[in-house]
């Protein structure tokens, strides 16, 4: 029985290593195809890796970023923006992803002027987007440990200046703990409840109601980003950055 367990354990390890090596080989092939300007093959291989990661709940910002680059080189702007957005969702602080996403958006037809928003909200959102959910969680844990050290120094040291330093240091550290946890929860919520999408068709009509015979309000084109606010059978209610809202068939939009 012990021999059987040992053999089974080795088999499990071998399978895991085999899958890892296979994924690494696929990534190398995709990268080599990209460097050789065979963008269609690169897209095919990176799509395989992205599907595997999604199935295993191990999405990779790097894979989405490379896939976005391959799509962009293949002149598929909508798909490129979609994958850059997915990469940014996983790693919001990555400058290369943001740069390529901004550049890809210059290839889109729609020029939507965002509605004005409170500067403090933009400032807070900018701070939150510096790091991913996991990074904010680690920062929160580290700050909490520092807070415990400060609290211990305040309670158990008898030297007055030490107690004062510990007390005044504990206040901002505790604020950092709360802020880091809020930011971590916010980033995690974005990953779980994906409420944004990218228009994938060349031209998407946005209607007044979820009915093909209703009035057309405006048109969106490939690469436009929308926020999905409601659904109705085969329709999405979408909102764009300037605040305009309408309905478009689900087939026009792919969720980030």
């Amino acid at each position: 029985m012990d021999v059987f367990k040992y053999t089974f354990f080795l088999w499990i390890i071998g399978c895991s290593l085999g899958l890892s090596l296979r994924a690494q080989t696929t990534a190398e092939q995709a990268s080599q195809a990209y460097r050789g300007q065979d963008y269609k093959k690169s897209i095919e291989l990176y799509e395989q890796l992205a599907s595997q990661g999604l199935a295993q709940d191990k999405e990779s910002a790097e894979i989405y970023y490379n896939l976005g680059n391959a799509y962009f080189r293949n002149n598929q702007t909508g798909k490129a923006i979609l994958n850059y957005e997915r990469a940014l969702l996983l790693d919001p602080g990555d400058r290369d992803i943001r740069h390529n996403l901004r550049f890809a958006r210059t290839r889109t037809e729609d020029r939507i002027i965002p509605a004005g928003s409170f500067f403090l909200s933009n400032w807070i959102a900018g701070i939150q987007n510096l790091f991913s959910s996991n990074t904010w969680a680690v920062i929160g844990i580290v700050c909490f440990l520092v807070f415990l050290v400060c609290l211990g120094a305040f309670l158990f040291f008898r030297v007055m200046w030490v107690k004062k330093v510990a007390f005044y240091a504990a206040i901002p550290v505790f604020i950092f703990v709360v802020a880091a946890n809020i930011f971590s929860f916010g980033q995690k919520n974005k990953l779980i409840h994906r409420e944004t999408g990218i228009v994938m068709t060349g031209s998407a009509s946005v209607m007044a109601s979820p009915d093909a015979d209703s009035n057309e309000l405006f048109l969106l084109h490939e690469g436009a980003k929308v926020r999905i606010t409601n659904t109705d059978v085969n329709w999405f209610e979408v909102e764009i950055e300037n605040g305009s809202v309408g309905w478009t068939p689900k087939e026009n939009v792919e969720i980030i």
Side-chain angles (χ1 to χ4, degrees):
M1 183 61 69
D2 290 339
V3 173
F4 174 75
K5 289 182 178 178
Y6 181 71
T7 305
F8 181 73
F9 179 69
L10 289 178
W11 180 77
I12 293 293
I13 293 176
C15 289
S16 299
L17 288 173
L19 289 172
S20 177
L21 289 173
R22 196 178 306 131
Q24 185 177 6
T25 302
T26 304
E28 290 172 354
Q29 290 175 350
S31 179
Q32 185 175 0
Y34 180 85
R35 291 194 297 270
Q37 298 184 5
D38 188 354
Y39 301 123
K40 289 184 178 180
K41 182 179 179 181
S42 181
I43 288 169
E44 181 183 348
L45 294 172
Y46 277 129
E47 283 285 9
Q48 289 180 16
L49 291 172
S51 298
Q52 290 172 10
L54 196 60
Q56 299 170 7
D57 198 23
K58 295 180 180 179
E59 291 181 279
S60 167
E62 182 181 359
I63 294 298
Y64 284 134
Y65 173 70
N66 290 334
L67 183 55
N69 288 338
Y71 271 123
F72 185 79
R73 291 290 187 178
N74 203 45
N75 296 317
Q76 294 176 263
T77 305
K79 286 286 189 180
I81 291 175
L82 175 69
N83 284 283
Y84 286 146
E85 289 281 5
R86 286 174 175 170
L88 197 63
L89 199 60
L90 295 167
D91 190 2
D94 192 291
R95 293 182 179 179
D96 291 333
I97 298 173
R98 288 190 178 278
H99 175 268
N100 285 17
L101 177 59
R102 282 195 298 267
F103 188 73
R105 283 175 177 165
T106 63
R107 299 285 184 89
T108 61
E109 186 173 340
D110 295 318
R111 294 292 180 267
I112 301 170
I113 301 174
S117 57
F118 187 46
F119 79 94
L120 189 58
S121 299
N122 294 333
W123 181 71
I124 293 174
I127 295 176
Q128 178 176 296
N129 289 331
L130 288 174
F131 304 111
S132 65
S133 173
N134 291 339
T135 303
W136 278 120
V138 171
I139 292 173
I141 292 170
V142 172
C143 289
F144 181 70
L145 293 175
V146 174
F147 173 76
L148 291 180
V149 171
C150 292
L151 186 62
F154 176 77
L155 293 175
F156 300 110
F157 275 79
R158 295 184 178 180
V159 181
M160 186 56 63
W161 71 267
V162 174
K163 292 175 75 70
K164 286 183 177 180
V165 170
F167 176 79
Y168 288 113
I171 295 174
V173 170
F174 181 74
I175 294 173
F176 283 134
V177 171
V178 174
N181 279 276
I182 291 173
F183 291 154
S184 177
F185 176 79
Q187 296 289 40
K188 191 69 175 180
N189 190 56
K190 288 180 181 179
L191 285 171
I192 296 173
H193 304 101
R194 304 197 179 190
E195 300 175 343
T196 52
I198 302 297
V199 174
M200 289 288 105
T201 58
S203 179
S205 296
V206 181
M207 318 299 286
S209 63
D211 183 352
D213 294 326
S214 63
N215 294 330
E216 182 181 271
L217 300 178
F218 52 91
L219 281 174
L220 291 175
H221 300 87
E222 183 182 3
K225 185 177 180 179
V226 298
R227 187 169 73 89
I228 300 167
T229 56
N230 201 356
T231 60
D232 187 318
V233 191
N234 296 322
W235 293 77
F236 281 139
E237 184 183 48
V238 298
E239 180 182 359
I240 57 178
E241 289 184 307
N242 63 9
S244 299
V245 178
W247 294 85
T248 192
K250 288 183 177 180
E251 62 192 30
N252 292 337
V253 176
E254 189 165 347
I255 296 174
I256 294 170

